[in-house]
């Protein structure tokens, strides 16, 4: 009974947050409603026993992606009138895409009601053990059977990060080169000069 009430509560909050994310006029409010939707979706994942996915929703999507969206929206000078004009202009295309997605969803539900797909059985190396938590089972498979593939993915991400840093690095020639040793040896009395300017004499630079 408690599980059913929790499911309907989380599901209703997810749907309401999603609707508010789309209909909110302020982009900052939209991002905040999106964060609320992620939290409630994490609650749904916990109800079905997928703790790892719930943790990803909270840590990755809420802690990184949604906060990044929030900072970008708050820092950028966005012309909301232009955005609304573009929304009205592209509304027919968006409505057509929504219709296609709805048709695919109905087709998938019909295919599921006709009979689910028969999936293959996992081998002994990747089969989940009985009475093992979701996170522990994923960790055992990821860091055991797929260890080298996981490390290879980490190396690819590291190379991509280094490549992005190298491509965006620019050497500026219009500024004075930095001399760290001279800056460290500089004394406070050499950095500031106390003067007694006359009244109305101004400041000499």
């Amino acid at each position: 009974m408690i599980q059913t009430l929790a499911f309907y509560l989380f599901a209703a909050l997810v749907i309401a947050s999603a609707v508010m994310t789309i209909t909110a006029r302020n982009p900052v409010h939209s991002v905040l409603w999106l964060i609320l939707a992620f939290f409630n979706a994490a609650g749904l994942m916990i109800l079905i026993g997928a703790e790892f996915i719930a943790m990803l929703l909270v840590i990755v999507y809420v802690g990184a992606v949604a906060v990044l969206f929030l900072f970008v929206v708050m820092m950028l000078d966005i012309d909301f009138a232009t955005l609304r004009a573009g929304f009205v202009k592209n509304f027919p295309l968006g409505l057509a895409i929504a219709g296609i997605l709805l048709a695919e969803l109905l087709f998938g539900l019909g295919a599921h009601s006709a009979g689910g797909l028969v999936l293959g059985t996992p081998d002994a190396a990747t089969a989940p053990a009985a009475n093992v938590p979701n996170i522990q089972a994923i960790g055992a498979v990821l860091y055991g059977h797929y260890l080298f593939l996981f490390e290879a993915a980490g190396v690819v991400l590291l190379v991509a990060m280094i490549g992005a840093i190298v491509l965006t690095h620019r050497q500026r020639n219009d500024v004075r080169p930095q001399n760290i040793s001279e800056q460290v040896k500089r004394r406070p009395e050499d950095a500031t000069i106390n003067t007694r300017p006359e009244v109305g004499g101004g400041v000499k630079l």
Side-chain angles (χ1 to χ4, degrees):
M1 184 63 180
I2 298 178
Q3 291 84 353
T4 304
L5 292 177
F7 169 77
Y8 283 113
L9 175 63
F10 287 138
L13 289 176
V14 166
I15 295 175
S17 302
V19 172
M20 293 302 299
T21 301
I22 299 173
T23 57
R25 294 182 177 272
N26 194 329
V28 177
H29 296 169
S30 297
V31 176
L32 294 178
W33 284 114
L34 181 63
I35 292 175
L36 182 60
F38 283 149
F39 271 114
N40 290 280
L44 290 175
M45 294 299 106
I46 292 177
L47 287 179
I48 64 175
E51 302 92 356
F52 182 74
I53 300 179
M55 183 180 64
L56 287 181
L57 282 172
V58 174
I59 296 177
V60 177
Y61 284 91
V62 176
V65 177
V67 174
L68 177 62
F69 288 167
L70 184 61
F71 285 166
V72 169
V73 169
M74 293 176 65
M75 289 188 298
L76 291 181
D77 186 13
I78 302 175
D79 189 1
F80 299 109
T82 305
L83 288 179
R84 294 190 183 95
F87 173 78
V88 173
K89 178 182 178 181
N90 298 319
F91 181 75
L93 177 60
L95 191 62
I97 294 175
I100 294 173
L101 294 178
L102 180 61
E104 290 180 352
L105 180 60
L106 295 177
F107 179 76
L109 292 176
H112 178 72
S113 61
L117 296 176
V118 179
L119 302 178
T121 57
D123 56 5
T126 59
N131 300 326
V132 175
N134 181 258
I135 298 177
Q136 184 177 349
I138 293 177
V141 174
L142 190 62
Y143 295 104
H145 186 73
Y146 297 104
L147 176 62
F148 295 106
L149 295 177
F150 182 77
E151 292 181 349
V155 171
V156 170
L157 292 176
L158 178 62
V159 172
M161 181 180 66
I162 295 175
I165 294 173
V166 171
L167 291 175
T168 56
H169 180 70
R170 295 291 184 271
Q171 185 69 32
R172 296 186 59 182
N173 298 322
D174 57 340
V175 295
R176 185 174 57 183
Q178 184 180 16
N179 193 335
I180 300 177
S181 61
E182 292 294 334
Q183 293 178 354
V184 172
K185 292 187 297 183
R186 191 175 187 182
R187 298 178 302 172
E189 53 268 20
D190 297 334
T192 58
I193 300 176
N194 294 327
T195 60
R196 296 181 179 272
E198 299 178 356
V199 178
V203 179
K204 296 181 180 180
L205 299 177

